[in-house]
Amino acid sequence: MKFEELQQKLKDGGVVGAGGAGFPSYAKLNKNADTILLNCAECEPLLQPHRQLLRSHADEILAGLHMVAETVGAKQAIIGIKKSYEHAIAAVEKEIGKYPEMKIHYLQEVYPMGDEVILIYECTGRVVRPGGLPIEQGCIVYNVETMYNIYRAAVEDKPVTFKYLTIIGEVSKPITVPVSVGCSFKSVVDLAGELTCEDPVYFVGGPMMGRIQPHDGRVTKTTNAILVLPQDHPLVMKKRRKSKIDLARAASICCQCETCTDLCSRHALGHPIDPARFMRSASNADFQDLNPFLNTNFCSQCGICELYACPQDLAPRTLIGEYKAGLRAKGIKPPVVEAVPVKPSREFRKVPEDRLKARLGLSKYDLPAPLDDELQPEETVRILLRQHIGAPAVPIVKVGDHVEYRQMVAKAPDGLGVAMHASLPGVVTDVNDTFIRIRKE
Ligand code: SF4
Ligand code: SF4
């Protein structure tokens, strides 16, 4: 396929990163890439969609990976996958012989292996500079579901209308399912059997990087899990703590042990983020040296410092995130810096996933959530116009219009962004600056 044709198909097909910030996939395509990485690390505890999707759709996903590599002229394609995903590996091994440019790289069971900067280092030995993009090291990274969506949009002309999610935690039947983009979290949780606690909290997006969301929140193209937790779970209580209190606690009990820095996933890679130094400066309002504040730009928000490392239950990640957002809001750009050499201690300071689950109080929820690949029926969807990095999509339907399944309902904006499509056939009942609502007919 021609480069420009693939770009257009992904833009019109509404393909964005299926998880994380949801970077529009067409904008990652680049002819300078020599390596395409398929990310099947799936390192957030309890999440299981990618390994199962790869197991059931390895033929389409590897065909998509080959197509992308061929289109941009990359000489190799690497599938980064954990050894424990045996069924997915078996499915890949059946297909991989068709594609001489492909190889498998086995990943350790550590967190955060799915961070693309870390994945690139593990699979290629290349270090993306602080604040840099993977393409600067000749790499493009797509996760498994994104690659599946790329294949469907480019080869089958099917836009993104559903999202795979794992529903797990305080439910009787943990499950992984595809659901319509725009359906409510409550309707998704209902697919996982009975609730096993009263008045649960929905932790959306994984325990490390996810957020508490209302029950009537909507599935987007980046939603990858709903973790159902009781109100008094430590993760929930920690998430609800006010940052003013976090800062006051840091001022009084941060002992400067530096465990947060020692275990910081980006610091170990030679990036200048230093949570211990930041905590000292922020909690003492010490602005003589601005570097600890400016370097918050280089935090990936992985959460190791806050949810695993700190012996005092402090919140470096949250406070760093607030400073980072504040700098961005004021238009202060990250300093241009190079990484120093990777720390020799990095190998010994990786965070094992099992210990992480135990530390988070999640071991009892660590159960299979088998994939049911049938798309679940919905009566109403509310399709958000902004579901990813970039500008919101622009509605092209009006109230009362009848729309077909997969019909484009909002076009890609000028600049960075993608189109949105009807995730069920029906009548448009609302159109505003934020969403389009469609009711099934
Ligand atoms: S790990 Fe906790 S106590 Fe130790 S330096 Fe970091 S924030 Fe302070
Ligand atoms: S969240 Fe903490 S551990 Fe993770 S990159 Fe940021 S400072 Fe480092």
Tab-separated table of all heavy atoms in Angstrom, residues 288-340:
chain	number	residue	atom	x	y	z
A	288	GLN	N	15.391	27.515	44.459
A	288	GLN	CA	16.721	28.010	44.054
A	288	GLN	C	17.222	27.265	42.823
A	288	GLN	O	17.847	27.847	41.946
A	288	GLN	CB	17.711	27.812	45.198
A	288	GLN	CG	17.419	28.766	46.358
A	288	GLN	CD	18.448	28.600	47.449
A	288	GLN	OE1	19.606	28.908	47.232
A	288	GLN	NE2	18.021	28.122	48.601
A	289	ASP	N	16.943	25.978	42.787
A	289	ASP	CA	17.297	25.179	41.606
A	289	ASP	C	15.982	24.734	40.959
A	289	ASP	O	15.193	24.014	41.577
A	289	ASP	CB	18.125	23.970	42.050
A	289	ASP	CG	18.479	23.063	40.872
A	289	ASP	OD1	18.162	23.428	39.725
A	289	ASP	OD2	19.073	21.993	41.122
A	290	LEU	N	15.758	25.181	39.716
A	290	LEU	CA	14.469	24.864	39.069
A	290	LEU	C	14.467	23.505	38.365
A	290	LEU	O	13.424	23.025	37.946
A	290	LEU	CB	14.118	25.954	38.054
A	290	LEU	CG	13.773	27.313	38.666
A	290	LEU	CD1	13.455	28.317	37.569
A	290	LEU	CD2	12.600	27.208	39.633
A	291	ASN	N	15.640	22.891	38.247
A	291	ASN	CA	15.697	21.627	37.497
A	291	ASN	C	14.766	20.533	38.019
A	291	ASN	O	14.120	19.856	37.222
A	291	ASN	CB	17.140	21.108	37.433
A	291	ASN	CG	17.938	21.897	36.422
A	291	ASN	OD1	17.404	22.295	35.389
A	291	ASN	ND2	19.196	22.158	36.724
A	292	PRO	N	14.662	20.323	39.333
A	292	PRO	CA	13.740	19.271	39.785
A	292	PRO	C	12.308	19.514	39.317
A	292	PRO	O	11.548	18.559	39.114
A	292	PRO	CB	13.833	19.347	41.319
A	292	PRO	CG	15.144	19.987	41.584
A	292	PRO	CD	15.390	20.937	40.451
A	293	PHE	N	11.945	20.793	39.128
A	293	PHE	CA	10.587	21.110	38.662
A	293	PHE	C	10.486	20.951	37.145
A	293	PHE	O	9.555	20.336	36.628
A	293	PHE	CB	10.203	22.540	39.080
A	293	PHE	CG	10.228	22.724	40.575
A	293	PHE	CD1	11.322	23.290	41.207
A	293	PHE	CD2	9.169	22.288	41.362
A	293	PHE	CE1	11.351	23.423	42.576
A	293	PHE	CE2	9.192	22.410	42.731
A	293	PHE	CZ	10.290	22.981	43.357
A	294	LEU	N	11.467	21.505	36.427
A	294	LEU	CA	11.431	21.407	34.957
A	294	LEU	C	11.526	19.946	34.504
A	294	LEU	O	10.900	19.550	33.523
A	294	LEU	CB	12.581	22.212	34.347
A	294	LEU	CG	12.483	23.728	34.543
A	294	LEU	CD1	13.750	24.414	34.051
A	294	LEU	CD2	11.263	24.290	33.823
A	295	ASN	N	12.254	19.168	35.263
A	295	ASN	CA	12.441	17.760	34.862
A	295	ASN	C	11.206	16.892	35.121
A	295	ASN	O	11.187	15.723	34.735
A	295	ASN	CB	13.661	17.169	35.572
A	295	ASN	CG	14.957	17.744	35.020
A	295	ASN	OD1	14.966	18.308	33.927
A	295	ASN	ND2	16.037	17.631	35.764
A	296	THR	N	10.187	17.474	35.732
A	296	THR	CA	8.927	16.711	35.877
A	296	THR	C	8.378	16.348	34.486
A	296	THR	O	7.613	15.404	34.348
A	296	THR	CB	7.850	17.497	36.649
A	296	THR	OG1	7.634	18.748	35.992
A	296	THR	CG2	8.257	17.728	38.094
A	297	ASN	N	8.785	17.129	33.473
A	297	ASN	CA	8.365	16.836	32.099
A	297	ASN	C	8.771	15.439	31.650
A	297	ASN	O	8.204	14.910	30.704
A	297	ASN	CB	9.002	17.849	31.144
A	297	ASN	CG	8.231	19.148	31.116
A	297	ASN	OD1	7.091	19.175	30.691
A	297	ASN	ND2	8.861	20.213	31.595
A	298	PHE	N	9.764	14.870	32.292
A	298	PHE	CA	10.297	13.584	31.831
A	298	PHE	C	9.749	12.396	32.614
A	298	PHE	O	10.247	11.285	32.507
A	298	PHE	CB	11.831	13.617	31.877
A	298	PHE	CG	12.394	14.789	31.128
A	298	PHE	CD1	13.310	15.650	31.718
A	298	PHE	CD2	11.969	15.059	29.841
A	298	PHE	CE1	13.808	16.742	31.034
A	298	PHE	CE2	12.460	16.146	29.137
A	298	PHE	CZ	13.374	16.998	29.735
A	299	CYS	N	8.725	12.665	33.419
A	299	CYS	CA	8.070	11.577	34.164
A	299	CYS	C	7.031	10.925	33.256
A	299	CYS	O	6.248	11.607	32.601
A	299	CYS	CB	7.401	12.165	35.401
A	299	CYS	SG	6.241	11.041	36.183
A	300	SER	N	7.006	9.595	33.249
A	300	SER	CA	6.027	8.873	32.417
A	300	SER	C	4.730	8.620	33.166
A	300	SER	O	3.802	8.054	32.601
A	300	SER	CB	6.619	7.528	31.993
A	300	SER	OG	6.755	6.691	33.139
A	301	GLN	N	4.692	8.992	34.464
A	301	GLN	CA	3.517	8.737	35.317
A	301	GLN	C	3.270	7.237	35.525
A	301	GLN	O	2.145	6.803	35.727
A	301	GLN	CB	2.262	9.413	34.744
A	301	GLN	CG	2.324	10.934	34.828
A	301	GLN	CD	2.082	11.454	36.243
A	301	GLN	OE1	0.989	11.365	36.784
A	301	GLN	NE2	3.124	11.991	36.865
A	302	CYS	N	4.341	6.446	35.493
A	302	CYS	CA	4.170	4.992	35.654
A	302	CYS	C	3.661	4.616	37.034
A	302	CYS	O	3.047	3.570	37.212
A	302	CYS	CB	5.480	4.266	35.357
A	302	CYS	SG	6.732	4.444	36.656
A	303	GLY	N	3.962	5.444	38.052
A	303	GLY	CA	3.416	5.207	39.393
A	303	GLY	C	4.279	4.348	40.300
A	303	GLY	O	3.925	4.124	41.461
A	304	ILE	N	5.436	3.871	39.838
A	304	ILE	CA	6.274	3.015	40.694
A	304	ILE	C	6.663	3.743	41.978
A	304	ILE	O	6.599	3.179	43.078
A	304	ILE	CB	7.548	2.571	39.939
A	304	ILE	CG1	7.187	1.526	38.895
A	304	ILE	CG2	8.587	1.997	40.902
A	304	ILE	CD1	8.354	1.054	38.073
A	305	CYS	N	7.068	5.011	41.845
A	305	CYS	CA	7.534	5.758	43.020
A	305	CYS	C	6.458	5.822	44.100
A	305	CYS	O	6.750	5.706	45.294
A	305	CYS	CB	7.947	7.172	42.608
A	305	CYS	SG	6.699	8.050	41.667
A	306	GLU	N	5.224	5.959	43.673
A	306	GLU	CA	4.124	6.229	44.601
A	306	GLU	C	3.431	4.955	45.098
A	306	GLU	O	3.066	4.847	46.254
A	306	GLU	CB	3.133	7.109	43.833
A	306	GLU	CG	1.861	7.435	44.523
A	306	GLU	CD	1.172	8.583	43.790
A	306	GLU	OE1	1.853	9.542	43.386
A	306	GLU	OE2	-0.035	8.515	43.606
A	307	LEU	N	3.270	3.985	44.197
A	307	LEU	CA	2.457	2.813	44.553
A	307	LEU	C	3.304	1.597	44.906
A	307	LEU	O	2.780	0.577	45.335
A	307	LEU	CB	1.518	2.470	43.393
A	307	LEU	CG	0.464	3.539	43.103
A	307	LEU	CD1	-0.254	3.255	41.796
A	307	LEU	CD2	-0.540	3.640	44.235
A	308	TYR	N	4.615	1.697	44.716
A	308	TYR	CA	5.473	0.540	45.004
A	308	TYR	C	6.677	0.924	45.882
A	308	TYR	O	6.979	0.236	46.853
A	308	TYR	CB	5.966	-0.065	43.689
A	308	TYR	CG	6.745	-1.341	43.874
A	308	TYR	CD1	6.089	-2.559	44.070
A	308	TYR	CD2	8.145	-1.339	43.871
A	308	TYR	CE1	6.813	-3.740	44.248
A	308	TYR	CE2	8.862	-2.514	44.049
A	308	TYR	CZ	8.188	-3.709	44.232
A	308	TYR	OH	8.898	-4.873	44.414
A	309	ALA	N	7.337	2.035	45.529
A	309	ALA	CA	8.639	2.304	46.158
A	309	ALA	C	8.546	2.957	47.538
A	309	ALA	O	9.226	2.539	48.470
A	309	ALA	CB	9.463	3.200	45.237
A	310	CYS	N	7.717	3.961	47.679
A	310	CYS	CA	7.797	4.822	48.870
A	310	CYS	C	7.374	4.089	50.150
A	310	CYS	O	6.249	3.621	50.261
A	310	CYS	CB	6.943	6.067	48.685
A	310	CYS	SG	7.085	7.156	50.119
A	311	PRO	N	8.262	4.013	51.127
A	311	PRO	CA	7.905	3.338	52.383
A	311	PRO	C	6.997	4.188	53.268
A	311	PRO	O	6.482	3.704	54.279
A	311	PRO	CB	9.267	3.114	53.056
A	311	PRO	CG	10.137	4.203	52.538
A	311	PRO	CD	9.660	4.502	51.152
A	312	GLN	N	6.826	5.453	52.915
A	312	GLN	CA	6.026	6.369	53.743
A	312	GLN	C	4.646	6.641	53.135
A	312	GLN	O	3.948	7.547	53.589
A	312	GLN	CB	6.759	7.718	53.887
A	312	GLN	CG	8.161	7.618	54.454
A	312	GLN	CD	8.158	7.441	55.953
A	312	GLN	OE1	7.449	6.601	56.498
A	312	GLN	NE2	8.956	8.257	56.631
A	313	ASP	N	4.281	5.913	52.113
A	313	ASP	CA	2.984	6.106	51.458
A	313	ASP	C	2.795	7.544	50.970
A	313	ASP	O	1.724	8.124	51.095
A	313	ASP	CB	1.853	5.703	52.438
A	313	ASP	CG	0.499	5.652	51.742
A	313	ASP	OD1	0.483	5.356	50.537
A	313	ASP	OD2	-0.521	5.923	52.401
A	314	LEU	N	3.878	8.109	50.435
A	314	LEU	CA	3.777	9.462	49.872
A	314	LEU	C	3.420	9.385	48.381
A	314	LEU	O	3.317	8.296	47.821
A	314	LEU	CB	5.096	10.209	50.087
A	314	LEU	CG	5.434	10.439	51.568
A	314	LEU	CD1	6.789	11.103	51.727
A	314	LEU	CD2	4.350	11.288	52.255
A	315	ALA	N	3.237	10.541	47.765
A	315	ALA	CA	2.656	10.549	46.413
A	315	ALA	C	3.504	11.343	45.414
A	315	ALA	O	3.031	12.315	44.821
A	315	ALA	CB	1.244	11.107	46.483
A	316	PRO	N	4.767	10.943	45.196
A	316	PRO	CA	5.579	11.697	44.227
A	316	PRO	C	4.949	11.772	42.843
A	316	PRO	O	4.944	12.849	42.225
A	316	PRO	CB	6.897	10.916	44.173
A	316	PRO	CG	6.868	9.919	45.274
A	316	PRO	CD	5.479	9.824	45.803
A	317	ARG	N	4.398	10.668	42.346
A	317	ARG	CA	3.838	10.678	40.999
A	317	ARG	C	2.735	11.728	40.864
A	317	ARG	O	2.703	12.489	39.899
A	317	ARG	CB	3.308	9.281	40.664
A	317	ARG	CG	2.783	9.103	39.249
A	317	ARG	CD	1.268	9.189	39.102
A	317	ARG	NE	0.528	8.262	39.880
A	317	ARG	CZ	0.063	7.084	39.439
A	317	ARG	NH1	0.328	6.702	38.221
A	317	ARG	NH2	-0.655	6.325	40.230
A	318	THR	N	1.820	11.765	41.851
A	318	THR	CA	0.707	12.705	41.772
A	318	THR	C	1.213	14.150	41.779
A	318	THR	O	0.786	14.983	40.972
A	318	THR	CB	-0.243	12.490	42.969
A	318	THR	OG1	-0.667	11.134	42.940
A	318	THR	CG2	-1.442	13.410	42.919
A	319	LEU	N	2.142	14.444	42.682
A	319	LEU	CA	2.638	15.821	42.788
A	319	LEU	C	3.437	16.197	41.539
A	319	LEU	O	3.294	17.305	41.008
A	319	LEU	CB	3.482	15.973	44.057
A	319	LEU	CG	2.689	15.769	45.360
A	319	LEU	CD1	3.607	15.714	46.570
A	319	LEU	CD2	1.655	16.884	45.547
A	320	ILE	N	4.232	15.262	41.056
A	320	ILE	CA	4.996	15.521	39.815
A	320	ILE	C	4.024	15.777	38.662
A	320	ILE	O	4.211	16.697	37.863
A	320	ILE	CB	5.926	14.316	39.508
A	320	ILE	CG1	7.108	14.327	40.467
A	320	ILE	CG2	6.395	14.331	38.054
A	320	ILE	CD1	7.983	13.087	40.408
A	321	GLY	N	2.958	14.976	38.605
A	321	GLY	CA	1.966	15.137	37.535
A	321	GLY	C	1.332	16.524	37.582
A	321	GLY	O	1.090	17.139	36.539
A	322	GLU	N	1.081	17.019	38.792
A	322	GLU	CA	0.459	18.350	38.886
A	322	GLU	C	1.421	19.436	38.443
A	322	GLU	O	1.033	20.384	37.761
A	322	GLU	CB	-0.005	18.595	40.320
A	322	GLU	CG	-1.128	17.659	40.665
A	322	GLU	CD	-2.007	18.140	41.776
A	322	GLU	OE1	-1.656	19.144	42.424
A	322	GLU	OE2	-3.049	17.499	41.984
A	323	TYR	N	2.668	19.317	38.828
A	323	TYR	CA	3.656	20.314	38.381
A	323	TYR	C	3.808	20.266	36.863
A	323	TYR	O	3.873	21.293	36.196
A	323	TYR	CB	5.008	20.074	39.059
A	323	TYR	CG	5.146	20.850	40.342
A	323	TYR	CD1	4.705	20.315	41.542
A	323	TYR	CD2	5.669	22.140	40.357
A	323	TYR	CE1	4.793	21.028	42.726
A	323	TYR	CE2	5.763	22.860	41.541
A	323	TYR	CZ	5.334	22.302	42.718
A	323	TYR	OH	5.416	23.016	43.880
A	324	LYS	N	3.854	19.069	36.353
A	324	LYS	CA	4.025	18.899	34.900
A	324	LYS	C	2.859	19.551	34.151
A	324	LYS	O	3.054	20.276	33.168
A	324	LYS	CB	4.071	17.390	34.622
A	324	LYS	CG	4.354	16.977	33.227
A	324	LYS	CD	4.463	15.447	33.192
A	324	LYS	CE	4.499	14.913	31.800
A	324	LYS	NZ	4.676	13.462	31.748
A	325	ALA	N	1.645	19.297	34.641
A	325	ALA	CA	0.463	19.892	33.993
A	325	ALA	C	0.505	21.414	34.106
A	325	ALA	O	0.145	22.140	33.174
A	325	ALA	CB	-0.805	19.333	34.622
A	326	GLY	N	0.955	21.904	35.262
A	326	GLY	CA	1.043	23.360	35.469
A	326	GLY	C	2.031	23.992	34.500
A	326	GLY	O	1.764	25.051	33.924
A	327	LEU	N	3.166	23.346	34.300
A	327	LEU	CA	4.170	23.882	33.366
A	327	LEU	C	3.599	23.923	31.949
A	327	LEU	O	3.758	24.897	31.219
A	327	LEU	CB	5.428	23.007	33.368
A	327	LEU	CG	6.267	23.000	34.655
A	327	LEU	CD1	7.429	22.020	34.512
A	327	LEU	CD2	6.807	24.389	34.968
A	328	ARG	N	2.898	22.847	31.611
A	328	ARG	CA	2.320	22.775	30.254
A	328	ARG	C	1.278	23.868	30.074
A	328	ARG	O	1.248	24.536	29.041
A	328	ARG	CB	1.705	21.395	30.052
A	328	ARG	CG	1.385	21.128	28.612
A	328	ARG	CD	0.968	19.697	28.384
A	328	ARG	NE	2.046	18.751	28.578
A	328	ARG	CZ	1.880	17.452	28.789
A	328	ARG	NH1	0.673	16.947	28.855
A	328	ARG	NH2	2.898	16.640	28.926
A	329	ALA	N	0.443	24.074	31.091
A	329	ALA	CA	-0.613	25.090	30.990
A	329	ALA	C	-0.014	26.484	30.817
A	329	ALA	O	-0.600	27.354	30.180
A	329	ALA	CB	-1.501	25.031	32.235
A	330	LYS	N	1.167	26.696	31.388
A	330	LYS	CA	1.815	28.013	31.264
A	330	LYS	C	2.692	28.099	30.013
A	330	LYS	O	3.390	29.079	29.798
A	330	LYS	CB	2.669	28.280	32.505
A	330	LYS	CG	1.843	28.561	33.759
A	330	LYS	CD	2.695	29.147	34.851
A	330	LYS	CE	1.893	29.825	35.927
A	330	LYS	NZ	0.792	29.061	36.477
A	331	GLY	N	2.678	27.054	29.211
A	331	GLY	CA	3.444	27.076	27.947
A	331	GLY	C	4.935	26.925	28.159
A	331	GLY	O	5.727	27.268	27.280
A	332	ILE	N	5.355	26.407	29.334
A	332	ILE	CA	6.796	26.223	29.580
A	332	ILE	C	7.217	24.883	28.983
A	332	ILE	O	6.728	23.825	29.378
A	332	ILE	CB	7.110	26.280	31.090
A	332	ILE	CG1	6.711	27.652	31.624
A	332	ILE	CG2	8.595	26.002	31.353
A	332	ILE	CD1	6.755	27.781	33.115
A	333	LYS	N	8.108	24.966	28.002
A	333	LYS	CA	8.512	23.747	27.276
A	333	LYS	C	9.567	22.972	28.061
A	333	LYS	O	10.346	23.557	28.807
A	333	LYS	CB	9.071	24.135	25.910
A	333	LYS	CG	8.042	24.793	25.013
A	333	LYS	CD	8.160	24.207	23.609
A	333	LYS	CE	6.938	24.521	22.777
A	333	LYS	NZ	6.937	25.842	22.206
A	334	PRO	N	9.630	21.643	27.866
A	334	PRO	CA	10.677	20.861	28.540
A	334	PRO	C	12.063	21.290	28.072
A	334	PRO	O	12.228	21.638	26.898
A	334	PRO	CB	10.406	19.426	28.098
A	334	PRO	CG	9.191	19.449	27.272
A	334	PRO	CD	8.764	20.849	27.021
A	335	PRO	N	13.050	21.294	28.979
A	335	PRO	CA	14.411	21.615	28.530
A	335	PRO	C	14.913	20.543	27.561
A	335	PRO	O	14.455	19.398	27.619
A	335	PRO	CB	15.223	21.583	29.841
A	335	PRO	CG	14.399	20.812	30.813
A	335	PRO	CD	12.967	20.933	30.379
A	336	VAL	N	15.813	20.926	26.661
A	336	VAL	CA	16.376	19.930	25.736
A	336	VAL	C	17.600	19.305	26.408
A	336	VAL	O	18.577	19.991	26.702
A	336	VAL	CB	16.779	20.591	24.394
A	336	VAL	CG1	17.418	19.556	23.466
A	336	VAL	CG2	15.556	21.225	23.744
A	337	VAL	N	17.517	18.029	26.705
A	337	VAL	CA	18.618	17.340	27.396
A	337	VAL	C	18.835	15.976	26.745
A	337	VAL	O	17.940	15.437	26.102
A	337	VAL	CB	18.318	17.112	28.896
A	337	VAL	CG1	18.405	18.385	29.698
A	337	VAL	CG2	16.960	16.454	29.103
A	338	GLU	N	19.994	15.455	26.932
A	338	GLU	CA	20.297	14.090	26.473
A	338	GLU	C	20.256	13.165	27.688
A	338	GLU	O	20.482	13.612	28.818
A	338	GLU	CB	21.695	14.038	25.844
A	338	GLU	CG	21.796	14.742	24.504
A	338	GLU	CD	20.852	14.172	23.441
A	338	GLU	OE1	20.678	12.943	23.396
A	338	GLU	OE2	20.293	14.964	22.653
A	339	ALA	N	19.986	11.899	27.438
A	339	ALA	CA	20.033	10.920	28.533
A	339	ALA	C	21.492	10.664	28.891
A	339	ALA	O	22.367	10.730	28.030
A	339	ALA	CB	19.366	9.623	28.093
A	340	VAL	N	21.745	10.425	30.174
A	340	VAL	CA	23.075	9.955	30.579
A	340	VAL	C	23.047	8.426	30.405
A	340	VAL	O	21.976	7.858	30.176
A	340	VAL	CB	23.400	10.360	32.035
A	340	VAL	CG1	23.441	11.877	32.174
A	340	VAL	CG2	22.415	9.763	33.014
